[in-house]
Amino acid sequence: MNKSDLKLISVLERTGGFASAQELHQILRREGDGIGLTTVYRALQSLVDDKIVDLLRRDDGEAIYRLCGDGHHHHLVCKGCGQTVEIEGGAIENWAKTMAEEFGFREVAHTAEIFGLCSKC
Amino acid sequence: MNKSDLKLISVLERTGGFASAQELHQILRREGDGIGLTTVYRALQSLVDDKIVDLLRRDDGEAIYRLCGDGHHHHLVCKGCGQTVEIEGGAIENWAKTMAEEFGFREVAHTAEIFGLCSKC
DNA sequence: TATGGAAATGATAATCATTTTCATTTGTGA
DNA sequence: TCACAAATGAAAATGATTATCATTTCCATA
């Protein structure tokens, strides 16, 4: 956790919601911070690794970032507008554990996302 | 619906599951078809527009396609050696459907992968 | 305080999927 | 056969992301 990481966290706190690396970079630049795009990408990656921010994808594939809510959760993402709902994955946790056991896997993690069109789109 | 569209559908039927545009192009080339990458992208786009194939995103943002309503499966991947097991996701299908309904989402698709260490690693 | 090495930084170039452009080919109805 | 629209694909353009690498900043220790 270094200075750049903290800057990014600060921007994400203030903006709320999702933002792309390029947008976050522009915001910092606009605020007079001379931070480089490379550093923005590095900081975001490190924050994702530390599970401090979530990384999702916009419809066009661009990566978007947001501060993690607490705890383990999954996402329900609208393909139209990008609106995202954090959901619990109770059934998934069991499924992952069961499948892993069945095939003798240990130290398991899993990913699961649901994509669709929200009621507005 | 033209000749290229049909070629792509045929490949997707044979491979099953997801494949990227680049992969689909390589498969067709390997089979002796001189189809161009541009045409592959165009055909996939038109199939997505017609809701004949689903478009999702891999973790790295690359677009992946699969036939709609395809009986699909999930993967159990070893972080050590890369060995992959195809597994059924019965519990997940229901979970995804339930969650989507709860939040008023339609045309839903989902991704789910489990990562761990296999018995040999 | 000086110093030496490790970590952080950022400009630049490279990568890679995807989209545009545009000239050529193919198919089709008159 | 002719004219014309649709389809095709090579090549260039685009845009996000990653790799390189020289330089700067930290920081512990002498």
Side-chain angles (χ1 to χ4, degrees), chain A residues 72-74 86-95 110 112, chain B residues 95 99:
Chain A
H72 175 73
H73 59 258
H74 298 276
E86 288 189 1
I87 53 182
E88 292 299 320
I92 299 248
E93 318 302 325
N94 295 328
W95 171 76
H110 63 269
Chain B
W95 171 76
M99 286 299 173

Side-chain angles (χ1 to χ4, degrees), chain B residues 86-104:
Chain B
E86 288 190 2
I87 54 183
E88 291 301 317
I92 299 245
E93 316 304 323
N94 293 330
W95 171 76
K97 196 157 45 166
T98 305
M99 286 299 173
E101 274 170 13
E102 183 173 328
F103 291 95

Side-chain angles (χ1 to χ4, degrees), chain A residues 10 21 24 43 47 52 54-55 63 79 84 86 91 94 98 105 107-108 116:
Chain A
S10 160
L24 293 167
L47 292 171
I52 294 168
D54 278 335
L55 184 170
K79 286 187 282 196
T84 302
E86 288 189 1
N94 295 328
T98 305
F105 278 57
E107 292 184 33
V108 290

